[in-house]
Amino acid sequence: MRARIEDLEKDLKKAKKKERKMTLISHLGELRRRLIYSVIFFLGGAGFCYYHVEKLIIDMLDKAPGMEFVAIAPEELLLSQIRIAFLGGVIVASPLIIMQIWLFIKPGLVAREKRYLLLSLFVGAMFFASGLAFAYMVILPMTLKFLAGFEMDRISSLISFSSYLSFATNMLLSFGLVFELPIVMLLLSLFGILKAKTVVKFRKHILIIILTVAAFLTPPDIVSQLLMAVPMLVLFEVGIMFARVAEKSRNRRLSENL
């Protein structure tokens, strides 16, 4: 009888081990499928952007009237076009890529976690896109116009297009990430890591940090720094409101579970 029980325990352990192995294989297969879809969407978006890359470059040049750009290496313009296509591919395909991320992690979440994550992905994408648009349509032209005012008659400004592309890309990504501040504060509050009262208590210190970050992420001119610092301050206040709402929701949920 004891030997029979031991055999059953061994069979049970083997079955559990096989089940874990099958689960891991299925997860890896699902991850592989979502990665393939994401790559396909990215390549499709990059191909679309590369087809219109000349229009995109002309639009970028229109943001800097009066400046003259040159290509200082034989491959510079081609590599710049590929960089624009790749960056545009990420932006164009981002909704579909985010959907693939959501479909992969959705089965392992409970209903409440699904709501929080779906809200964060959707609102986060909207804020990131808003940051990119704000930087490209408002900040970039104003910054270039300000910097162009430092030109001298006896010094010709011949700017490498690759350098200009790096400058514009860094600015766009910086503003896109900065616009994610309210979403980060919302998530931290939902998981009880951040409390609105604590943030308000150290508001003055955080404002100094925001000004420092704005000075670090932007070119060394006061106009660019203010153009980033002001939206960051507004987003910080929006993040406080989000944190308060999330904190109330979390406290209400915890009280209901008692």
Side-chain angles (χ1 to χ4, degrees), residues 87 90-91 94 98 121-135 172-181 183:
L87 179 60
V90 173
I91 296 174
S94 58
I98 291 174
L121 290 175
F122 176 76
V123 179
M126 294 296 293
F127 272 91
F128 187 80
S130 300
L132 293 180
F134 179 72
L172 265 62
L173 292 179
S174 297
F175 272 84
L177 293 176
V178 164
F179 270 58
E180 294 292 312
L181 180 61
I183 305 304

Side-chain angles (χ1 to χ4, degrees), residues 24-228:
L24 178 60
I25 292 174
S26 63
H27 282 316
L28 291 176
E30 180 68 11
L31 177 61
R32 177 175 174 271
R33 182 161 56 252
R34 297 304 171 191
L35 287 175
I36 291 175
Y37 288 155
S38 298
V39 171
I40 292 174
F41 293 144
F42 163 71
L43 293 177
F48 174 80
C49 292
Y50 188 78
Y51 181 77
H52 298 280
V53 71
E54 290 188 7
K55 296 180 181 178
L56 296 173
I57 291 177
I58 292 174
D59 190 68
M60 289 185 63
L61 296 178
D62 290 340
K63 303 296 180 184
M67 290 187 175
E68 186 175 355
F69 297 96
V70 296
I72 60 177
E75 75 282 0
E76 180 175 338
L77 189 56
L78 174 61
L79 294 179
S80 297
Q81 291 176 345
I82 294 175
R83 287 174 60 188
I84 293 174
F86 279 7
L87 179 60
V90 173
I91 296 174
V92 171
S94 58
L96 297 174
I97 294 175
I98 291 174
M99 184 179 67
Q100 297 305 309
I101 297 174
W102 164 252
L103 292 175
F104 175 71
I105 62 181
K106 177 183 176 182
L109 302 175
V110 298
R112 176 172 55 84
E113 293 173 338
K114 290 179 182 178
R115 290 196 300 269
Y116 290 162
L117 185 59
L118 185 60
L119 176 66
S120 301
L121 290 175
F122 176 76
V123 179
M126 294 296 293
F127 272 91
F128 187 80
S130 300
L132 293 180
F134 179 72
Y136 187 73
M137 302 300 295
V138 179
I139 305 301
L140 183 61
M142 294 182 66
T143 302
L144 293 173
K145 183 179 179 180
F146 176 80
L147 295 176
F150 290 92
E151 294 183 357
M152 299 179 63
D153 295 335
R154 298 181 61 182
I155 301 178
S156 300
S157 296
L158 297 178
I159 304 171
S160 167
F161 181 74
S162 178
S163 299
Y164 172 54
L165 178 60
S166 298
F167 173 83
T169 301
N170 292 336
M171 179 170 289
L172 265 62
L173 292 179
S174 297
F175 272 84
L177 293 176
V178 164
F179 270 58
E180 294 292 312
L181 180 61
I183 305 304
V184 174
M185 296 177 67
L186 172 65
L187 290 175
L188 293 177
S189 299
L190 286 174
F191 291 102
I193 302 175
L194 181 69
K195 292 186 178 181
K197 292 182 179 180
T198 304
V199 176
V200 173
K201 181 180 179 181
F202 293 97
R203 175 182 274 154
K204 294 181 180 179
H205 302 83
I206 296 175
L207 295 181
I208 296 175
I209 294 175
I210 288 176
L211 295 175
T212 304
V213 171
F216 178 77
L217 294 177
T218 55
D221 63 89
I222 190 63
V223 174
S224 300
Q225 294 171 6
L226 289 177
L227 288 175
M228 174 171 276

